[in-house]
Amino acid sequence: MAHHGVYPHDIVPPQSKYFDSGRFGRMFGELPAFSSDTPETRTSLLEIGKAGGIMDAKDKLSEGPVKLITDPVLSAKNPNNPTLTAGFTFLGQFLDHDMTFDPTSSLERQSDPEQISNFRTPSLALDNIYGAGPGGSPHLYDQVGGQGIKFLLEETGTAGKFDVPRNSQNVALIGDPRNDENLILSQLQVAFLKFHNACVDHVKAKFGLTQPGAVFAEAQRLVRWHYQWIIVHEFLKKTCGPAVVDDVLTNGRKHYKWRNEPYIPVEFSVAAYRFGHSQVRPSYRANFTGNPGGQPFFGMIFTPTPSNPTDPDDLSGGCRAPRRFVDWPTFFDFGDGLVRPNKAIDATLSTALFKLPGSVVSNPDPKANPSSLAQRNLLRHLTFSLPSGQKVAKAMGLTPLPKTDLAELKPFGFDDRTPLWFYVLREAAVVEGGERMGPVGGRIITEVFIGLLEGDRSSYLAQEPEWQPSLPTIDPSRQGDDFTIIDMLRFAGVA
């Protein structure tokens, strides 16, 4: 059993009193941690999150990437999500990289989140795309044909397919190096770079602007506002449900508040928003024609030891080769029957995530710096003294999940004081059938996203909350009323 003899000064985290710009903080700073940081608790968390443990889907990875997609028996404990397609996993990862970047935290030491700098502006303004702009990050921009206001892009080696620019050592020249972690994410980065470039052409043609600074400013506004619209009206509504999104937009936020400027709550960054890890498939079809003979390129999301480092068989990033591009109809629904689902939101992760490659985990230590993503997520609950899911539910005025829904945690003493990340995953499975987040996780995520937009004076929600998209849509009946990720990909010229 986990240790129960805890002392208040050990487990009560400091309550956030003043939220400085660019810091992490707490939504529920008055709540005690779910457990004290003892060797017994750490051992229990490592057991829960271990390879082959209760969170491991036990996918038959040896059967290869194609069979893992086509034969459901090989991933029997890892069901598909019937309402969310594979691309939303990576869109969610892209959004995370736009909001947060903490390269300093350790899994071994306790941390006060208010003392940790967020190396990413806590907003949804695409600084992972724009960097410091044409003046501060000129290496990101085309100084010749693009007048310094269009992004640089380079061909993959396949006609019409592009990669992010790279230096002589294949390091991506982009606003956030994490957006080159895997092929799908780096290609999403390409899509946003091309989206901006298309908006530059659109602004010139529609408004007759010629001065580079004015063109860039208006193109950037269009990109940001349409991107923010996609977040609110597509990503959040599909991920958390339209009811909670509409409630927060109409009636305001109940739990996520600040005194100075928006901050990133650890309940969000360490727990609720890590729901996307349960959506990751063990393998994907990257494209339809990339392999020899015009065959599809299937690959594992990553393998512990990738093959050829210049063109591995998995979908890891950090390299360029002719077949390393993405055909987006696999990832988002263009209505042609080619799209694939992502995995259900539940307390089960694809087996590939229990042995992260060395490029993700340097010098893994089984106890202090494990290669299992589930173990790493659970240990962060101790690092940041996060409250239990039950305590957060009660603080929200909600009835917590019964202990019977968390019975496999009883041997560890966590069925009634559950780590928040595990809790919101199980809540999604029990309450929403794994299709979307439940009431605790969905409320945290929705309030933070909308709160960040409301706290950003340049966002459409702050400047012009009644604004509606103006760029062309695939379906003319939605013109002026909506704009989705597939509209963005089409306008960018990548689909």
Side-chain angles (χ1 to χ4, degrees), residues 258-479:
W258 63 86
R259 296 187 186 183
N260 185 30
E261 292 187 19
Y263 68 101
I264 298 295
V266 286
E267 297 90 341
F268 170 86
S269 63
V270 176
Y273 199 63
R274 292 179 184 249
F275 77 93
H277 294 161
S278 74
Q279 295 180 308
V280 177
R281 302 187 65 91
S283 64
Y284 295 86
R285 178 181 59 194
N287 57 52
F288 306 122
T289 59
N291 271 346
Q295 295 301 304
F297 173 26
F298 289 88
M300 306 300 291
I301 182 61
F302 45 65
T303 54
T305 53
S307 56
N308 177 6
T310 62
D311 184 14
D313 289 334
D314 67 5
L315 301 177
S316 53
C319 47
R320 178 186 297 152
R323 68 171 177 173
R324 305 196 80 77
F325 62 89
V326 162
D327 282 327
W328 291 111
T330 284
F331 295 90
F332 297 104
D333 190 1
F334 287 79
D336 49 16
L338 298 171
V339 72
R340 297 287 187 179
N342 66 13
K343 292 299 182 180
I345 305 172
D346 55 24
T348 302
L349 275 64
S350 292
T351 299
L353 301 182
F354 288 83
K355 195 167 185 180
L356 301 177
S359 60
V360 178
V361 183
S362 58
N363 300 318
D365 178 317
K367 291 186 177 180
N369 192 26
S371 60
S372 161
L373 183 58
Q375 290 177 329
R376 295 170 69 81
N377 287 346
L378 290 167
L379 288 178
R380 281 190 172 88
H381 285 61
L382 294 178
T383 305
F384 292 104
S385 302
L386 285 189
S388 69
Q390 290 86 349
K391 290 286 188 184
V392 173
K394 289 178 181 177
M396 288 182 165
L398 301 169
T399 301
L401 294 175
K403 293 169 66 173
T404 51
D405 286 335
L406 298 153
E408 70 269 53
L409 299 183
K410 185 176 181 179
F412 309 102
F414 294 146
D415 56 336
D416 58 355
R417 51 189 189 102
T418 307
L420 183 56
W421 176 60
F422 191 102
Y423 183 93
V424 298
L425 293 180
R426 178 54 51 82
E427 177 192 60
V430 170
V431 179
E432 298 292 348
E435 295 184 8
R436 63 189 65 83
M437 300 301 291
V440 171
R443 171 66 63 167
I444 291 173
I445 291 168
T446 300
E447 289 203 8
V448 170
F449 269 103
I450 291 177
L452 290 176
L453 290 171
E454 290 174 339
D456 175 7
R457 289 186 290 271
S458 68
S459 77
Y460 89 87
L461 274 184
Q463 281 199 9
E464 197 175 330
E466 301 303 316
W467 174 85
Q468 290 182 303
S470 60
L471 294 177
T473 57
I474 293 176
D475 180 359
S477 67
R478 293 188 291 107
Q479 182 67 41

Side-chain angles (χ1 to χ4, degrees), residues 17-339:
K17 297 178 180 177
Y18 180 80
F19 306 128
D20 194 12
S21 176
R23 296 287 181 179
F24 290 86
R26 300 186 188 276
M27 289 179 75
F28 302 98
E30 74 282 1
L31 297 181
F34 81 99
S35 174
S36 57
D37 189 349
T38 67
E40 189 172 2
T41 297
R42 283 186 169 259
T43 298
S44 295
L45 295 179
L46 289 171
E47 181 70 17
I48 293 167
K50 72 178 183 179
I54 61 176
M55 298 192 74
D56 187 346
K58 301 179 177 65
D59 303 302
K60 305 296 184 183
L61 301 185
S62 61
E63 295 293 327
V66 178
K67 285 189 176 182
L68 282 166
I69 294 172
T70 59
D71 187 350
V73 175
L74 301 179
S75 294
K77 286 187 62 181
N78 205 8
N80 290 331
N81 188 324
T83 62
L84 281 171
T85 64
F88 283 95
T89 305
F90 300 95
L91 178 59
Q93 187 180 16
F94 181 90
L95 300 182
D96 174 47
H97 294 176
D98 192 17
M99 292 180 285
T100 63
F101 186 28
D102 167 25
T104 63
S105 67
S106 165
L107 300 179
E108 296 184 81
R109 64 176 185 269
Q110 292 192 348
S111 300
D112 175 0
E114 289 191 64
Q115 301 305 314
I116 299 175
S117 293
N118 181 10
F119 287 76
R120 180 69 60 232
T121 304
S123 65
L124 292 155
L126 289 171
D127 51 345
N128 58 345
I129 292 291
Y130 289 104
S137 303
H139 60 287
L140 302 180
Y141 297 85
D142 183 352
Q143 304 299 324
V144 183
Q147 295 183 289
I149 60 172
K150 278 188 172 183
F151 287 107
L152 279 171
L153 289 157
E154 298 175 8
E155 288 199 1
T156 62
T158 294
K161 304 299 182 180
F162 290 89
D163 183 25
V164 296
R166 300 181 183 277
N167 67 13
S168 60
Q169 297 179 330
N170 255 344
V171 176
L173 303 176
I174 52 179
D176 188 327
R178 296 173 299 168
N179 280 0
D180 195 30
E181 284 180 359
N182 62 66
L183 174 61
I184 301 102
L185 190 59
S186 70
Q187 286 284 289
L188 192 57
Q189 178 89 4
V190 167
F192 274 96
L193 298 178
K194 287 180 70 70
F195 182 40
H196 168 85
N197 289 354
C199 282
V200 168
D201 294 336
H202 175 78
V203 165
K204 289 179 177 179
K206 185 169 184 178
F207 304 114
L209 297 177
T210 57
Q211 200 278 326
V215 173
F216 179 85
E218 178 58 14
Q220 185 183 54
R221 184 190 69 82
L222 281 177
V223 169
R224 283 175 168 170
W225 284 18
H226 283 80
Y227 161 71
Q228 291 164 358
W229 178 276
I230 289 170
I231 292 171
V232 174
H233 294 279
E234 185 174 20
F235 180 80
L236 281 183
K237 288 186 176 181
K238 285 181 177 292
T239 299
C240 301
V244 67
V245 176
D246 291 340
D247 179 63
V248 174
L249 287 172
T250 303
N251 301 314
R253 291 168 277 111
K254 298 177 181 178
H255 310 289
Y256 175 51
K257 300 176 182 179
W258 63 86
R259 296 187 186 183
N260 185 30
E261 292 187 19
Y263 68 101
I264 298 295
V266 286
E267 297 90 341
F268 170 86
S269 63
V270 176
Y273 199 63
R274 292 179 184 249
F275 77 93
H277 294 161
S278 74
Q279 295 180 308
V280 177
R281 302 187 65 91
S283 64
Y284 295 86
R285 178 181 59 194
N287 57 52
F288 306 122
T289 59
N291 271 346
Q295 295 301 304
F297 173 26
F298 289 88
M300 306 300 291
I301 182 61
F302 45 65
T303 54
T305 53
S307 56
N308 177 6
T310 62
D311 184 14
D313 289 334
D314 67 5
L315 301 177
S316 53
C319 47
R320 178 186 297 152
R323 68 171 177 173
R324 305 196 80 77
F325 62 89
V326 162
D327 282 327
W328 291 111
T330 284
F331 295 90
F332 297 104
D333 190 1
F334 287 79
D336 49 16
L338 298 171
V339 72

